[in-house]
Amino acid sequence: MKPKSVTDSIILHSNLAQKALILLSQKGLKVGIAESCTGGLLSYHFTSLAGASNVLDGAMISYANEIKASWLSVDRRDLERFGAVSEQVVRGMCEGILQQTRADVAMATSGIAGPSGGSSQKPVGSVFIGVQLKGESVHIAYCHFGGDRLSVQSQSCAKALEMLIMALDS
């Protein structure tokens, strides 16, 4: 569902984050978040809600490749071979945030929000999103979102929250 306005977007994200918070609380789980292209927006959706401290263990904005490698232990060879916007790197970001926190669930985003930085292989709007329950494999989605920078970031957050809810519901 694509929101029609900024207000619709805020309501959508708030509703998704609230549902995720409730599910995490009911299951007694904590989430750790590793963000790149969303730059903290995904973490914000949790921290804007009462009760966030019960479910959010920690978050890292790992924008630069060096930070992805040093803070989250993302394999430097994956960064060089596949680039930061890749399934391999998002997998490493999920695994890294689980190692760096006491979280039970990891979320990660890496993409090209624009307006520049895209290529023919990875156009602006390309985003990889990962969700991983500790001890399980990472679920990764490749998405291509339209719109301006904030729209790409916003849609990335909504998709990540939807993926988290699906993982917790299964």
Side-chain angles (χ1 to χ4, degrees):
M1 165 180 18
K2 188 174 179 184
K4 295 179 177 127
S5 69
V6 172
T7 303
D8 289 346
S9 179
I10 291 168
I11 292 168
L12 171 65
H13 292 121
S14 181
N15 290 342
L16 290 170
Q18 186 70 51
K19 184 170 183 178
L21 185 142
I22 291 167
L23 286 169
L24 288 162
S25 293
Q26 288 173 342
K27 295 177 180 283
L29 300 175
K30 291 206 176 243
V31 65
I33 304 171
E35 297 186 69
S36 188
C37 67
T38 50
L41 188 58
L42 185 54
S43 301
Y44 167 76
H45 290 303
F46 281 97
T47 61
S48 69
L49 300 171
S53 59
N54 297 323
V55 301
L56 178 60
D57 194 56
M60 292 184 187
I61 300 171
S62 55
Y63 212 67
N65 284 353
E66 178 56 34
I67 298 302
K68 287 177 181 69
S70 64
W71 290 5
L72 295 168
S73 301
V74 172
D75 191 319
R76 292 176 193 277
R77 291 170 296 194
D78 286 345
L79 286 161
E80 291 170 13
R81 183 170 180 203
F82 303 108
V85 182
S86 66
E87 180 177 338
Q88 295 81 356
V89 167
V90 167
R91 179 176 284 108
M93 290 171 70
C94 282
E95 292 167 358
I97 199 68
L98 286 174
Q99 290 171 3
Q100 292 294 332
T101 65
R102 293 183 178 167
D104 307 290
V105 184
M107 300 175 76
T109 61
S110 190
I112 305 163
S116 61
S119 68
S120 59
Q121 294 82 20
K122 295 177 188 174
V124 169
S126 298
V127 181
F128 284 89
I129 301 165
V131 172
Q132 179 181 15
L133 277 67
K134 191 177 262 182
E136 296 185 17
S137 60
V138 184
H139 297 278
I140 297 176
Y142 167 78
C143 303
H144 184 260
F145 300 117
D148 63 11
R149 184 175 185 82
L150 182 56
S151 180
V152 170
Q153 291 171 322
S154 181
Q155 291 172 83
S156 299
C157 290
K159 179 65 176 179
L161 290 165
E162 290 168 357
M163 289 173 63
L164 175 62
I165 290 165
M166 285 180 51
L168 294 171
D169 267 345
S170 61

